[in-house]
Amino acid sequence: AGYHGLVSDCLNQWLGEHSLVGGDTVIYACGPEAMLARMRDATWWQDESDSFVARTSMAAAQWLEENCGAQDFLLWVDCFDPHEPWDSPPEFVKMYDTTPGYDGRIDPRAFYSEPIPKGMSEAAIRRKKALYAAKVTWMDHWFGKFLEAFEETGLSKNTALLVTADHGTNVGEWGRFGKGHPVHDTEAHV
C-alpha cells in the first residue's frame, strides 16, 4: 500500500514491464527527444537547469513538495548521470583542471573513448579525469537541491532516505574510461 512515484531521466528503462505498480506517478524529467539530443551533442542545453541531473532533481524536489503530506510513500529517483558524456558547466570543470588559460569548455571529442586511445597524452588523460570529477561534483550540487527540499518539507525528520548506484566507473584504470569487461572493483564497488 502507500503512494509511489518515479522520477527518471532514463525513459527507455522504465517502459513496459519495468514500470511501477499501476496508478503510480511516473515523471520523466527528460523525454526521448532530450536523450537523443544528448547523444548527438552533450552541450544541447540552453542553461544549466536543462541538464538531466538538474531536471531530475528539480522534478523530484517538486514531487516531495506536492506529496509530503502522504502517510506512506516511496519515491524512486533515477538519474542517468554521471554516465558519459562527462559534460558539466565550465566552472565545475575548472575546479579539477587548473591548466593555465583553460576556460573549462569541453571538446566534444573528449566525451567518448572507452579504451584509452593509443598515444593519448598524459595531459588529455588528466583532463578526462577532471571531467569525471566535475560531473560527480555537478551531480552533488543538484542532489543537494533535492536534499534541501527533503529538509524543507520536514520529511527528513521521519522518512528514510536510501542512496545507491548501479555501478562505478574506470577513470583511466585498467587502460580505459567507463565500464568494461572483465568488471573490476572500480566498477563494482559502489
Side-chain angles (χ1 to χ4, degrees):
Y3 190 68
H4 302 89
L6 167 68
V7 177
S8 178
D9 62 4
C10 301
L11 180 64
N12 58 329
Q13 288 184 337
W14 301 110
L15 296 174
E17 65 185 88
H18 298 292
S19 296
L20 292 176
V21 181
D24 296 324
T25 302
V26 179
I27 300 168
Y28 297 112
C30 303
E33 70 288 340
M35 183 64 86
L36 291 173
R38 179 180 184 171
M39 294 308 163
R40 283 192 305 273
D41 175 12
T43 60
W44 64 273
W45 7 297
Q46 298 298 310
D47 66 51
E48 296 168 4
S49 65
D50 285 335
S51 68
F52 282 19
V53 65
R55 292 168 87 173
T56 303
S57 297
M58 290 185 299
Q62 182 177 344
W63 192 95
L64 285 180
E65 291 162 5
E66 292 171 358
N67 295 283
C68 64
Q71 277 296 60
D72 296 316
F73 70 86
L74 165 72
L75 172 61
W76 179 341
V77 181
D78 177 43
C79 192
F80 185 74
D81 286 327
H83 284 85
E84 301 89 343
W86 297 329
D87 52 337
S88 303
E91 62 270 22
F92 284 80
V93 176
K94 290 187 333 184
M95 289 179 186
Y96 300 97
D97 189 333
T98 57
T99 304
Y102 178 50
D103 63 5
R105 288 187 291 170
I106 304 167
D107 181 341
R109 293 172 295 181
F111 287 152
Y112 301 99
S113 65
E114 289 188 3
I116 295 176
K118 197 172 201 149
M120 187 176 208
S121 71
E122 286 301 314
I125 291 170
R126 281 193 307 276
R127 168 113 354 123
K128 285 201 60 136
K129 289 180 177 186
L131 294 176
Y132 179 72
K135 187 62 169 232
V136 171
T137 302
W138 179 234
M139 289 280 308
D140 286 349
H141 169 78
W142 282 102
F143 185 63
K145 302 285 186 191
F146 170 76
L147 290 177
E148 287 172 12
F150 185 65
E151 183 72 33
E152 289 169 3
T153 57
L155 290 169
S156 63
K157 295 176 184 155
N158 63 1
T159 305
L161 176 67
L162 308 175
V163 179
T164 190
D166 60 346
H167 62 81
T169 198
N170 296 295
V171 188
E173 301 88 355
W174 309 104
R176 67 181 310 111
F177 291 99
K179 57 187 180 183
H181 300 285
V183 175
H184 297 283
D185 275 353
T186 49
E187 300 157 76
H189 187 84
V190 293

